[in-house]
Amino acid sequence: MLTRAERQRGYAGGGLVFAGIVVFIALAVFALLSFNSGESDRPFFDAYVWRILRFTLLQAGLSTLLSVALALPVALALARQPNFPGRIWIIRLMAVPMGLPVLIGALGLIGIWGRTGVLNSALATIGLSEPVSIYGLSGILIAHVFFNLPLACRLLLAGLERLPPDYWRLSASLGLPARSIFRFVEWPAVKPLLAGITGLVFMLCATSFTLVLVLGGGPAATTLEVAIYQSLRFDFDPGRAISLALLQIAVTATILALMALLPTPKNDSAATGRAARRFDGSDLGMRVWDGTIVILAVAFLCLPLISIALAGIRADLVRLLTSAIFWKAAWTSLWIAFLAGVISLTAATAIINARAAIADARGPGITARGFSTLLASLSSLVLLVPPVVIGTGWFLLLRPYGDVASFAPLLVVMINAMTALPFVMRVMAPAFATHRQRTARQAANLGIFGFARLRLIDLPVLISPIATALSFAMALSLGDLGAVALFGSEELVTLPWLVYSRLGSYRTADADGLAFILAILCLALTVAGTAGHRVGKDGQQ
Amino acid sequence: MTASDPSGIRLQNVGLTLGAQQFRFDCELPAGAITAITGPSGSGKSTLLNLIAGFEMPESGRVMIGKRNVAALHPSERPVSLVFQDNNLFAHLDLFTNIGLGIHPALKLSADDRKRISQALTRVGLGGYEKRTPGTLSGGERQRAAFARALVRQRPVLLLDEPFAALDPGLRQTMAALLLDLHRETGNTIAIVTHDAGEVRQLADHALFIDHGEVTLQAEIEVFLMRRDVPGLTEFLDL
């Protein structure tokens, strides 16, 4: 249905983007592989490296287990209580940690679980002296559960809500007790999702950088990503950074390969909040149990968020907002985020158009179909090589050509654009596909092509998913510490970097205030993006 | 389980408000008979069925099954079996389990129970289908399996909510004949919500016509089919 020119443009754009991303990643990996550290006496993988690998996998495994195991009762309770007060807001709350910059979440968690945090103060007043530690393994676990429990919970809840409402009427009429409902209805609905969710959460925890940097970091609690950063930034030991980076790629490749074998959790139909009537949640015992679980989960998620807000308000916001360094950081953050967002969206559009062009061709050859699959897997390729590894590679690559600091902003933009690509694709691809399905025949029949088509047919509908994708990408980049951690300097200061360095120099109040401002910025972006989306949707109907 | 069982259904001044719509039901479904519940879309046919089954609780009035007011009872405590238009079976469980859950809700089955399940399957024409899952069956076969479960449950009342609406016209005839056979064997009280005037003629001993949340006519079938003075009924019967 596309014209010949449209199809050729599609192929060309897809090819360019594909080549660009592959070259960008491959050069970084190549630089790592070919680097000669000059210390041939040390084994490539020494005891230190193995210890870090072990810890990376251990914390990821435990984090995953805790997140998913605790998410299950919460999802069951929310599904069973469709009339729970504020249920829709609780489900929306579950989306907040996913959009919250990780660094800010970490600060909130410290506010609750830290040595002088609310929880330990409360424990002290009732006479318990042993504080819960937010640092080290226990802290990393708490933080990973904070970020991943809501994700797992939403996916599980969506699975439960996909069940036909008749099942609950049937269960009630057959008089199935709670145990039978779990065994015969709920568990069979949830079980096929668990593998995919576990894989996703494990991947996120194994590659988690910021949380481990802030809450772990000591030699006993360091993951591969943080160790790469430390060996480059503090020890300046590129040899070790390279062994760690290669190990990291091996780990992510293994996880991705395993995940490819598992069914992926359906993200497109995440919990809508529309729930079927349940007849098994009305007796008192069940209500008390469900209520307790949901309230505990809400407290666990809400308290750190409240702590961020309170600590932020207590900070000297006026002084922070009028300081030159804040404006410099904010300005840098915003233009990096905007550029990264635009690049990410451009790449995503090219990929989507190229895949559509291939799908449109009558009987595409094996090459074309292979290329289409490759394009689809680009997102995974981006996940395969984590930002810190790409950064390390380019750091080595550019060092001979002058001060790395002068290339730094561009690198941060590119890395952030790539990190955002999977998310941008997830927002844009389905919207573009639906739009094409609705309009392609008509537009071809009426002969609407090129700019007229863009202006009259495509933009009015697609502007809202584009806005959503851009705001997500910008929020992601705005809150990111991973890429900028390697390159941050006097010349390159972003907001997260400023928060992190204030935290490092024990100016906690400033860090809290800046984190609060950053959180509001990210929240505003996300709200703006999704609000536009909603209006657009209504407009279509 | 015989016709002499006190399983007649009576709704006395039952009032219910759902959203903006008000319902007021006063009607009787005689014991051991098949009563068709008819009326335009949205008139309250399914609501009436839900009140009897226990999925809706009346705000006022009594729901009598036999001599007992069941208005406050949980669906599982009512002497009722159900067959909906679709999703009567858990799609991920085989027929044996689906039907077994009708006998014991935690699937603790005796050897005798197992035999009964197989017999019920054979009775509805699905002999040997114990290990099949609903996804591998046709729509008609799935409804047969739902009938098999109703058989093993041995409840004096069977409620059917447009059970054949998703089936081809030819198949509907066959399924209606099967339902009649089973009804003659068990003598249970049946309420069937239907859109299909042919089904009413073929199956029903009694019929209700519901309009705007109220029963505007209840009568024996011969009378019901002759009435021309009830708004909406003529259109329904002529369709």
Side-chain angles (χ1 to χ4, degrees):
Chain A
M1 253 165 294
L2 298 174
T3 62
R4 195 188 179 77
E6 279 176 321
R7 199 172 307 151
Q8 278 166 353
R9 271 204 301 277
Y11 288 148
L16 267 177
V17 165
F18 184 76
I21 292 177
V22 168
V23 166
F24 187 72
I25 296 176
L27 277 179
V29 176
F30 174 76
L32 286 177
L33 288 174
S34 58
F35 182 81
N36 185 359
S37 62
E39 302 170 55
S40 49
D41 52 330
R42 198 173 62 191
F44 201 57
F45 296 130
D46 57 12
Y48 169 78
V49 172
W50 283 122
R51 195 168 72 234
I52 288 173
L53 174 65
R54 266 205 309 278
F55 183 79
T56 304
L57 296 177
L58 173 77
Q59 64 81 20
L62 286 176
S63 299
T64 308
L65 189 70
L66 285 173
S67 301
V68 178
L70 294 174
L72 182 60
V74 181
L76 289 173
L78 280 172
R80 193 156 39 218
Q81 304 295 345
N83 296 319
F84 197 85
R87 183 179 187 274
I88 183 76
W89 290 103
I90 295 170
I91 292 170
R92 284 179 191 155
L93 172 72
M94 300 265 174
V96 171
M98 280 180 252
L100 190 71
V102 177
L103 179 61
I104 300 175
L107 283 180
L109 287 164
I110 293 172
I112 299 299
W113 299 82
R115 255 172 251 286
T116 57
V118 175
L119 194 85
N120 281 318
S121 310
L123 285 180
T125 51
I126 58 167
L128 293 170
S129 58
E130 196 72 8
V132 180
S133 178
I134 186 66
Y135 297 102
L137 179 61
S138 57
I140 293 172
L141 293 184
I142 292 172
H144 277 158
V145 172
F146 174 80
F147 280 98
N148 294 305
L149 179 144
L151 171 68
C153 183
R154 275 172 71 98
L155 292 170
L156 290 171
L157 185 59
L160 288 167
E161 288 184 349
R162 272 197 296 271
L163 287 172
D166 293 336
Y167 279 15
W168 309 118
R169 295 212 286 169
L170 207 55
S171 306
S173 112
L174 297 175
L176 302 190
R179 235 172 331 116
S180 286
I181 291 185
F182 181 72
R183 184 174 148 205
F184 295 115
V185 186
E186 291 166 332
W187 180 246
V190 157
K191 196 175 69 176
L193 304 174
L194 282 180
I197 295 175
T198 306
L200 181 65
V201 173
F202 189 86
M203 179 75 187
L204 291 172
C205 294
T207 56
S208 138
F209 174 80
T210 307
L211 284 178
V212 180
L213 181 66
V214 177
L215 303 176
T222 291
T223 56
L224 287 168
E225 293 226 7
V226 174
I228 295 170
Y229 160 79
Q230 283 166 337
S231 55
L232 215 57
R233 184 108 197 179
F234 295 121
D235 311 336
F236 200 75
D237 186 348
R240 169 160 286 161
I242 291 162
S243 347
L244 290 166
L246 291 175
L247 209 52
Q248 172 79 63
I249 295 178
V251 167
T252 45
T254 312
I255 303 171
L256 283 174
L258 287 174
M259 277 173 76
L261 300 176
L262 302 171
T264 43
K266 282 204 193 90
N267 217 10
D268 50 350
S269 52
T272 53
R274 269 185 297 109
R277 274 186 69 189
R278 293 283 294 256
F279 304 93
D280 53 335
S282 50
D283 77 289
L284 187 66
M286 199 53 110
R287 290 229 298 261
V288 169
W289 164 260
D290 288 341
T292 312
I293 297 238
V294 172
I295 288 168
L296 280 178
V298 168
F300 177 68
L301 295 178
C302 258
L303 288 177
L305 301 178
I306 295 171
S307 160
I308 295 164
L310 289 183
I313 291 166
R314 267 205 305 270
D316 191 351
L317 286 178
V318 177
R319 181 175 55 76
L320 287 174
L321 281 171
T322 48
S323 62
I325 185 80
F326 166 78
W327 284 106
K328 191 183 168 197
W331 178 242
T332 311
S333 277
L334 276 176
W335 73 254
I336 285 182
F338 182 72
L339 276 183
V342 168
I343 291 174
S344 202
L345 259 69
T346 311
T349 311
I351 293 172
I352 291 167
N353 283 340
R355 295 201 72 207
I358 293 169
D360 185 70
R362 291 278 158 271
I366 183 126
T367 335
R369 271 181 288 143
F371 183 52
S372 181
T373 315
L374 269 180
L375 281 174
S377 59
L378 260 187
S379 308
S380 309
L381 187 69
V382 171
L383 290 175
L384 176 66
V385 189
V388 174
V389 175
I390 297 179
T392 310
W394 277 91
F395 179 86
L396 296 173
L397 209 60
L398 291 176
R399 214 164 37 125
Y401 304 101
D403 188 6
V404 177
S406 52
F407 305 111
L410 186 65
L411 279 178
V412 174
V413 165
M414 289 301 290
I415 292 173
N416 281 343
M418 293 222 318
T419 319
L421 189 61
F423 298 90
V424 170
M425 286 288 288
R426 196 172 289 172
V427 174
M428 287 181 32
F432 275 54
T434 316
H435 174 67
R436 199 180 303 278
Q437 220 167 35
R438 283 188 190 147
T439 59
R441 281 165 186 276
Q442 282 186 66
N445 180 245
L446 299 172
I448 308 175
F449 300 118
F451 185 69
R453 183 186 162 124
L454 189 70
R455 187 172 62 88
L456 296 170
I457 314 283
D458 295 339
L459 268 187
V461 176
L462 295 178
I463 192 75
S464 66
I466 287 173
T468 307
L470 183 66
S471 71
F472 279 166
M474 281 185 68
L476 208 67
S477 169
L478 211 55
D480 173 68
L481 184 62
V484 88
L486 274 180
F487 302 110
S489 64
E490 288 294 308
E491 290 99 80
L492 182 65
V493 182
T494 64
L495 281 177
W497 176 246
L498 193 61
V499 174
Y500 183 61
S501 49
R502 288 292 178 271
L503 204 60
S505 51
Y506 298 101
R507 287 159 70 180
T508 320
D510 282 6
D512 284 338
L514 290 166
F516 180 58
I517 298 167
L518 182 55
I520 289 184
L521 262 177
C522 288
L523 202 67
L525 263 177
T526 317
V527 168
T530 42
H533 196 42
R534 204 170 303 133
V535 169
K537 259 194 180 149
D538 292 345
Q540 275 173 50
Q541 282 158 1
Chain B
M1 189 57 29
T2 60
S4 62
D5 271 2
S7 58
I9 302 165
R10 247 178 321 144
L11 276 76
Q12 298 175 323
N13 289 316
V14 169
L16 177 68
T17 311
L18 292 177
Q21 201 174 2
Q22 297 208 343
F23 300 94
R24 182 148 295 274
F25 293 120
D26 229 321
C27 57
E28 192 167 348
L29 290 74
I34 299 183
T35 304
I37 303 171
T38 63
S41 302
S43 58
K45 302 187 293 290
S46 294
T47 307
L48 176 61
L49 212 66
N50 283 339
L51 280 163
I52 303 171
F55 299 123
E56 299 291 354
M57 297 290 174
E59 285 147 12
S60 59
R62 305 201 298 170
V63 178
M64 307 292 294
I65 298 182
K67 293 194 164 52
R68 216 161 145 219
N69 181 5
V70 297
L73 294 184
H74 186 266
S76 64
E77 296 165 321
R78 303 187 182 201
V80 163
S81 282
L82 285 168
V83 177
F84 316 123
Q85 181 176 328
D86 208 353
N87 293 317
N88 284 297
L89 307 169
F90 296 115
H92 52 276
L93 301 175
D94 62 22
L95 290 194
F96 178 85
T97 312
N98 262 301
I99 294 167
L101 282 173
I103 298 178
H104 192 282
L107 213 62
K108 293 199 174 59
L109 301 174
S110 66
D112 189 43
D113 292 334
R114 290 164 184 277
K115 213 167 76 195
R116 273 172 55 212
I117 295 172
S118 297
Q119 282 167 351
L121 277 171
T122 309
R123 178 63 195 88
V124 298
L126 295 179
Y129 277 38
E130 283 86 346
K131 291 282 151 227
R132 298 276 291 269
T133 52
T136 66
L137 304 181
S138 70
E141 287 169 332
R142 283 199 289 269
Q143 293 308 71
R144 284 170 189 269
F147 284 169
R149 182 165 61 203
L151 269 181
V152 300
R153 276 170 69 69
Q154 299 181 324
R155 303 272 168 123
V157 174
L158 176 60
L159 305 177
L160 305 134
D161 194 350
E162 304 201 32
F164 312 133
L167 306 179
D168 294 335
L171 198 52
R172 284 187 208 177
Q173 293 270 338
T174 324
M175 294 298 292
L178 175 64
L179 178 64
L180 265 180
D181 280 353
L182 298 176
H183 169 66
R184 286 188 190 118
E185 284 166 33
T186 58
N188 54 358
T189 305
I190 294 183
I192 176 168
V193 169
T194 175
H195 257 117
D196 185 306
E199 243 162 59
V200 176
R201 292 192 177 91
Q202 186 185 358
L203 287 172
D205 307 309
H206 288 257
L208 306 180
F209 192 76
I210 299 179
D211 203 4
H212 293 103
E214 283 187 40
V215 178
T216 53
L217 173 65
Q218 49 183 324
E220 291 196 7
I221 193 66
E222 294 79 11
V223 180
F224 186 87
L225 295 175
M226 302 305 286
R227 286 286 282 265
R228 286 291 176 268
D229 54 338
V230 179
L233 178 58
T234 316
E235 290 86 333
F236 170 77
L237 289 174
D238 286 346
L239 275 176

